[in-house]
Amino acid sequence: MATFIVRRLIASIFILLAATYLMYILTALSGDPLEDLRVSTAPNKAQLIEARTELLNLDVPPFLRYFIWLAGVGKCFIGQCDLGVTVQNQPVTVLLAQAAGSTLQLVTIASIVAIILGITVGITTALRQYSGYDYGVTFISFLFFSLPIFWVAVLLKQYIAIGFNDFLADPKIEYWIIPIIAVISGLIWMSIIPRKGLQKLLTFGIAAVATAGILFYMDVTDWFSTPHIGFVGIIISSVGIAFGVTLISTGLKRRRALYASLTVAAVGIAIYFPFLYGFSFGLELWGLVLIALLTIGVSFGIGWLFGGTDRLPVARTAAITGFLVAGLIALDRFMFVWNQYANSDRIKGRPIATVGSSTPGLEGSLWVQGVDLFTHLLLPTIALILISFASYTRYSRASLLEVMNQDYIRTARAKGLTERTVVVRHAFRNALIPIATIVAFDIGGIIGGAVITERVFGFVGMGQLFQNGLDKVDPNPVMAFFLVTGGLAILFNLLADLVYAGLDPRIRVS
């Protein structure tokens, strides 16, 4: 494997060198970086032109100037990266660090949610092939896939931001809207859950009544002004998480895993009030991360104690349950400060942001800053998710359908294995092999694709760095952007090859 990795890295370096050379030449020849100074009426115009020429080495032909830039990149191997300066004499390394951190914050959340949601929906549509649910998801996927990102962004601004902010001024649900949403919810759940005859109608009725009850509760309690999950909601959700994770991870027949998950859920419920009103005040980010790691460790330990002869799968199930329950409690803690955030002097009752990555001058605790980050990431994240979700859904559906027709799946069923074991343990793992390739390409591509999204939402990130470089014929920031996206594309393609060997034992990396 070491030989394979080294060989791939060497080949990738040569490919990256050729690509960066072409990119540098094209950018440098796309315009005149001195154009703004040539039309200037400043009395020291000649001195300004001479200073910029010396600063950016414009007296050197672009075909040779590239190697000056490459020499600065080479210093990264000794910890002294020099990616040059911009036309405003700003170090590109500083701008790149700020822009990369902002963009990665955006695309990481969007990528994780799109991958999890897209694969989950794709797998479920494959299992319900040619059902109303399958046709509905197929239609929505193709619709999202065909929409241009800038148009989606404008619609999100209009209806999710401006429209919802207007609604928050007097958050009352009209009486005639509740039955309409209830009926739509009933139809959706009726198509998702595989039932026939009266059971299908029963599913529709339960879903419709539950949706209507929730909406009525939200309207009566003024939930949109003071959102919360609440203690009862935490109890119901935690127990549901315990059963759901156990069902997917090991199956409900493994009682030890279910008991471990329920114990972890009970511990989470027990610390709900101490966390909400006690030690969460004054908590910093590092403290929250430490609590998350501690939660996973304690949950894993509880599962290990319950595990008996199946300690590892039981401990894994308990750890996943603990992480999700802790995330649910943390979410409720963020909701706890929503009213304080929305009615602050900087927000003034319009919390859903349309531009920027943060609210200037906003002060507050970790929870207030977290809510502010959420409101600014919401729209661009949704825009990126909608576009990526479509491709993940279609690929995962097609991949699982192909795997489900293989001989070894029929053999597994003939041996008497449960459908959950056949799908989760055998089919799903092999269906992930082609999806790993898509994920690898998408990680690098979504950072490049965020250029349009960031521009529409005024998000200060890699997109703005790239666009400013092109507008001013400034190769250095453009090359910094290209270096990061190209490097990530190479890295994730290498990781995809290594993942293949882990997913399919028939594949060997050598």
Side-chain angles (χ1 to χ4, degrees):
M1 182 179 291
T3 304
F4 169 79
I5 294 175
V6 171
R7 188 170 66 245
R8 281 292 302 272
L9 287 176
I10 292 174
S12 299
I13 288 173
F14 283 108
I15 293 173
L16 190 60
L17 285 173
T20 53
Y21 184 77
L22 289 174
M23 189 67 179
Y24 192 95
I25 299 303
L26 290 174
T27 305
L29 297 178
S30 65
D32 183 8
L34 299 174
E35 182 177 2
D36 59 321
L37 295 179
R38 296 187 195 281
V39 298
S40 173
T41 57
N44 60 338
K45 180 172 72 173
Q47 289 81 359
L48 293 174
I49 292 176
E50 183 179 355
R52 183 177 295 182
T53 300
E54 183 179 356
L55 177 68
L56 301 179
N57 298 305
L58 298 179
D59 52 340
V60 179
F63 305 97
L64 300 177
R65 197 190 316 152
Y66 165 81
F67 295 99
I68 300 176
W69 173 83
L70 186 63
V73 175
K75 294 180 181 179
C76 294
F77 293 103
I78 58 174
Q80 299 178 0
C81 279
D82 181 13
L83 301 181
V85 295
T86 66
V87 292
Q88 289 88 16
N89 197 18
Q90 296 174 301
V92 174
T93 51
V94 176
L95 297 178
L96 178 64
Q98 297 171 350
S102 181
T103 295
L104 287 176
Q105 190 178 57
L106 168 63
V107 300
T108 300
I109 297 173
S111 299
I112 292 174
V113 174
I115 290 170
I116 294 175
L117 189 62
I119 292 177
T120 302
V121 173
I123 295 299
T124 54
T125 54
L127 298 176
R128 299 287 319 284
Q129 188 182 17
Y130 302 135
S131 64
Y133 171 62
D134 183 24
Y135 286 125
V137 171
T138 300
F139 171 76
I140 293 173
S141 297
F142 281 118
L143 176 65
F144 288 158
F145 193 76
S146 62
L147 295 177
I149 185 66
F150 62 87
W151 192 65
V152 172
V154 172
L155 291 180
L156 290 174
K157 279 187 174 185
Q158 178 63 40
Y159 295 105
I160 302 298
I162 298 174
F164 188 71
N165 284 335
D166 291 341
F167 168 75
L168 288 179
D170 184 22
K172 296 295 181 182
I173 303 177
E174 298 292 338
Y175 70 91
W176 55 271
I177 294 180
I178 294 180
I180 294 176
I181 297 178
V183 170
I184 294 174
S185 174
L187 292 173
I188 292 173
W189 283 107
M190 187 176 66
S191 66
I192 293 175
I193 299 177
R195 292 290 185 268
K196 294 182 179 179
L198 292 177
Q199 290 183 333
K200 207 173 185 69
L201 292 176
L202 182 62
T203 300
F204 170 82
I206 292 174
V209 171
T211 302
I214 292 172
L215 290 175
F216 180 75
Y217 170 81
M218 295 171 72
D219 189 41
V220 170
T221 60
D222 197 21
W223 190 90
F224 292 100
S225 296
T226 56
H228 57 276
I229 299 174
F231 186 60
V232 175
I234 290 292
I235 293 175
I236 297 173
S237 301
S238 298
V239 173
I241 288 172
F243 275 93
V245 172
T246 305
L247 175 64
I248 296 173
S249 179
T250 63
L252 294 177
K253 290 183 178 180
R254 289 195 179 183
R255 297 298 181 184
R256 291 179 179 272
L258 180 59
Y259 295 154
S261 295
L262 289 173
T263 302
V264 169
V267 172
I269 294 169
I271 65 172
Y272 171 72
F273 284 113
F275 181 81
L276 194 65
Y277 298 105
F279 57 86
S280 65
F281 289 94
L283 193 65
E284 298 293 337
L285 180 60
W286 64 269
L288 190 61
V289 173
L290 184 62
I291 291 175
L293 296 176
L294 183 63
T295 300
I296 295 173
V298 171
S299 302
F300 189 89
I302 292 174
W304 189 267
L305 293 176
F306 274 86
T309 56
D310 294 326
R311 282 179 172 169
L312 190 57
V314 173
R316 177 194 65 208
T317 304
I320 296 173
T321 302
F323 178 76
L324 294 178
V325 171
L328 194 68
I329 296 173
L331 176 62
D332 198 37
R333 183 63 180 84
F334 279 110
M335 290 181 175
F336 190 73
V337 301
W338 173 266
N339 191 46
Q340 171 190 345
Y341 169 79
N343 294 301
S344 63
D345 294 337
R346 305 297 301 177
I347 305 302
K348 298 180 180 178
R350 303 188 69 82
I352 307 301
T354 56
V355 293
S357 56
S358 62
T359 302
L362 179 69
E363 297 181 357
S365 64
L366 165 71
W367 310 106
V368 173
Q369 296 296 331
V371 172
D372 183 61
L373 178 64
F374 164 78
T375 57
H376 284 83
L377 288 178
L378 181 63
L379 298 188
T381 299
I382 292 176
L384 292 174
I385 287 174
L386 291 179
I387 304 303
S388 301
F389 165 80
S391 58
Y392 287 131
T393 300
R394 305 315 301 158
Y395 277 110
S396 56
R397 177 185 182 275
S399 180
L400 185 63
L401 286 175
E402 181 180 358
V403 170
M404 293 296 284
N405 292 323
Q406 298 296 320
D407 291 339
Y408 64 87
I409 297 297
R410 286 192 290 269
T411 302
R413 285 175 172 151
K415 288 168 62 178
L417 297 178
T418 63
E419 189 66 16
R420 189 206 69 84
T421 303
V422 171
V423 174
V424 176
R425 296 284 298 277
H426 296 279
F428 178 65
R429 181 173 177 174
N430 288 283
L432 287 178
I433 295 174
I435 298 174
T437 305
I438 305 303
V439 171
F441 278 105
D442 219 25
I443 294 296
I446 200 170
I447 295 177
V451 173
I452 300 174
T453 306
E454 290 178 14
R455 191 167 181 84
V456 173
F457 289 107
F459 209 87
V460 181
M462 295 285 285
Q464 188 180 72
L465 183 72
F466 177 76
Q467 188 66 47
N468 289 342
L470 286 181
D471 291 341
K472 297 174 181 177
V473 196
D474 190 358
N476 289 336
V478 174
M479 295 307 299
F481 171 88
F482 188 76
L483 192 64
V484 171
T485 54
L488 285 176
I490 290 172
L491 174 63
F492 278 96
N493 272 283
L494 176 61
L495 291 177
D497 289 338
L498 300 179
V499 168
Y500 293 158
L503 293 174
D504 191 342
R506 297 171 297 179
I507 299 174
R508 289 291 176 264
V509 176
S510 61

